[in-house]
Structure formats: C-alpha cells, structure tokens
Amino acid sequence: MQLIIIYLVWKEALHVWKISLTANLYISLPFLFSLVLLNLFVWIPLVGQLSALIESYLIFSYVVFISKLYIRRGGNIEGFEEDLRSANLLSPVLSYPREVIGVLVAQIFLTVVALLVSLVILSAGGALSVIKPLLEGGDVSWKGLLLSLLIAVFLYFSIVSSFPIFFGRAMLRGKGFSGTLSTFISSLWAEISWRTMLSWDYIKSSIVVSLITFGFLLLHLVLLIPPLFLFGPILTFLTVHFLYTFGTVACLRLLRS
C-alpha cells in the first residue's frame, strides 16, 4: 500500500513539474534564458561567485514559488495551473524572497552539520580501529574502519537526500525567513523525518532520489564540454525542481492525509 502511495506521489510530482514548465512560457523561457546568461560569467573572478549566488537564488525562487502555488491550492492541479497562467514574469523572483533565503541558509547549515558529524564518526572509527590497535601493538581492524565509513556515509546521505522532504515541510508549515529556516532544520526530528526515513518504503524512495541526482550528475559531466557547459544551470534547475516538487507533493499528501 505504501509503495502505491509513493508511486502516486512521484507521478503527481512529475505532472506538477511538467505544468510548471509549460503552462506559462512567458515565465519559464525567460527564466531558463537568464540561467544560461548568468553562466557566461562563472569563470570571471568575483563576478563568477556573485553569478553563482544569483543562479542559486533564481533556481530556488522558482521552486519556492511553484511549491507555494501548489500548496495554496491544496494540491488542486486545475487551480494551480490557473494561478500559474495568471502570474507575471517577476512573480517567481519577488513573491517569496525571505522563504528562498531561509531555504538556502537551512541547506547550507544542515550540509555542514551532516558533514561534521560524519567526519566525527569516521575519525572515531579510525581511532578505535586503527590508531588504538597500533599504539597497543594489536591488529588493525579494517572491518571496524569500513563499518564507521559506511555509517558516516549513510548518515550524511540520509540527511542530504532528505532535503526535498524538509523543503516540502518548510513550504507547508513555514512562513517568512525565520519560520522557513526553523521548519526546515527541525525536520531532522519532526514526525515526517526519522519515522519515515527508517521505513523501507522511504529508503527506496531516497534511493530513487539519489539515482536521479546521480543521473543528472553524469549529464553534467557531458555538459562540461564547451559550449554545452552553458546549459549546466538549466540541468541543475530541472533536477532540483523535480526532486523538491516531489518533496512538496509528498508532504502535502502525508501531513494533510
């Protein structure tokens, strides 16, 4: 039953994703063009860093805008499409700036936390499995080191691959910068986080998220070939938009079911 629900969520997310890109071409096409234009400056010192920041803001401003429209309509596809058609060119950029910044800051914070905790686990495992036995004249436990590595990697990717779910919950229950930031971060211990993350169906869904991300990463390697690299931000946007749309749809269906 749970597997069927997850399938339906993925299917609806794909439908919302498609509508968000095609229902109002007066918004989506200039937006995609602006990403390509900004990518022309990524190799210029300082200007490139600023361009990357603007790209990140634009990508998440669009994703946040679409998610808020979808949630505001309670998941009603017809109403969502109607609202999107009536939006203007600047609506994605200007509608929810505080929420966008809250999402970006929350992701950076949790990524750093996940990385630090994983490094602590790996360091502790290395100390117990390698350094301590060497100091005591015993045998090195490579299995122990491998186990600590697997735990560290699993913990890191469990948190990072859950960002779409954290995002969906923040869109559903957060408001403004502080509300979005705190809701996103508190998803680590919220009712939809560890309870679902430890279920087999959610793990399978996370694997799907990871595989999709990996597939887009491979496409990114292809886009490193000039002049295809100009379209890299578009691929990043499509990846983020699809995965985070899934998180929004999942949270709306799970938390309001």
Side-chain angles (χ1 to χ4, degrees):
M1 182 64 181
Q2 288 295 324
L3 189 60
I4 295 176
I5 293 175
I6 291 178
Y7 167 75
L8 293 176
V9 169
W10 277 110
K11 183 178 179 180
E12 183 171 347
L14 181 61
H15 189 41
V16 173
W17 180 75
K18 179 182 177 181
I19 291 174
S20 70
L21 297 173
T22 58
N24 192 336
L25 296 179
Y26 292 105
I27 293 178
S28 58
L29 290 182
F31 175 80
L32 294 175
F33 176 76
S34 66
L35 292 180
V36 175
L37 186 63
L38 283 169
N39 203 38
L40 292 173
F41 304 98
V42 295
W43 306 111
I44 303 176
L46 296 180
V47 176
Q49 284 75 13
L50 179 60
S51 175
L53 288 175
I54 296 175
E55 280 182 10
S56 296
Y57 178 84
L58 287 179
I59 288 172
F60 278 95
S61 67
Y62 199 97
V63 177
V64 168
F65 175 70
I66 294 299
S67 297
K68 288 290 188 180
L69 281 186
Y70 175 78
I71 290 173
R72 189 172 69 188
R73 282 291 189 167
N76 180 272
I77 299 297
E78 290 76 15
F80 161 73
E81 188 171 0
E82 180 183 341
D83 288 346
L84 183 57
R85 290 184 186 279
S86 63
N88 60 58
L89 179 61
L90 295 179
S91 293
V93 179
L94 301 180
S95 295
Y96 302 98
R98 292 178 298 172
E99 285 80 359
V100 174
I101 297 174
V103 167
L104 292 174
V105 173
Q107 287 186 134
I108 294 172
F109 175 78
L110 286 184
T111 300
V112 172
V113 169
L115 183 60
L116 290 177
V117 172
S118 298
L119 289 176
V120 168
I121 293 175
L122 184 59
S123 299
L128 292 175
S129 303
V130 179
I131 298 178
K132 183 179 179 181
L134 287 176
L135 293 176
E136 296 178 350
D139 295 330
V140 174
S141 175
W142 296 111
K143 290 183 178 179
L145 181 61
L146 178 60
L147 179 61
S148 64
L149 175 62
L150 291 176
I151 293 175
V153 170
F154 175 78
L155 178 64
Y156 177 81
F157 282 103
S158 292
I159 294 176
V160 174
S161 66
S162 297
F163 280 179
I165 293 293
F166 295 175
F167 171 84
R169 182 172 177 268
M171 292 298 98
L172 188 63
R173 296 184 172 177
K175 185 177 181 181
F177 171 77
S178 59
T180 302
L181 177 67
S182 60
T183 306
F184 195 108
I185 294 175
S186 66
S187 295
L188 273 173
W189 55 85
E191 73 278 8
I192 200 171
S193 299
W194 292 109
R195 177 175 60 83
T196 53
M197 285 167 62
L198 295 177
S199 71
W200 175 236
D201 288 325
Y202 185 83
I203 290 174
K204 287 187 289 186
S205 185
S206 294
I207 292 174
V208 172
V209 171
S210 300
L211 289 176
I212 292 174
T213 305
F214 180 70
F216 277 106
L217 178 62
L218 293 179
L219 287 177
H220 265 293
L221 296 178
V222 176
L223 292 181
L224 289 177
I225 304 173
L228 295 178
F229 77 91
L230 291 175
F231 300 98
I234 294 180
L235 187 58
T236 299
F237 162 68
L238 294 176
T239 308
V240 170
H241 186 17
F242 178 56
L243 296 179
Y244 282 56
T245 298
F246 163 76
T248 300
V249 174
C251 282
L252 183 68
R253 298 308 178 194
L254 291 174
L255 292 180
R256 289 191 175 180
S257 59

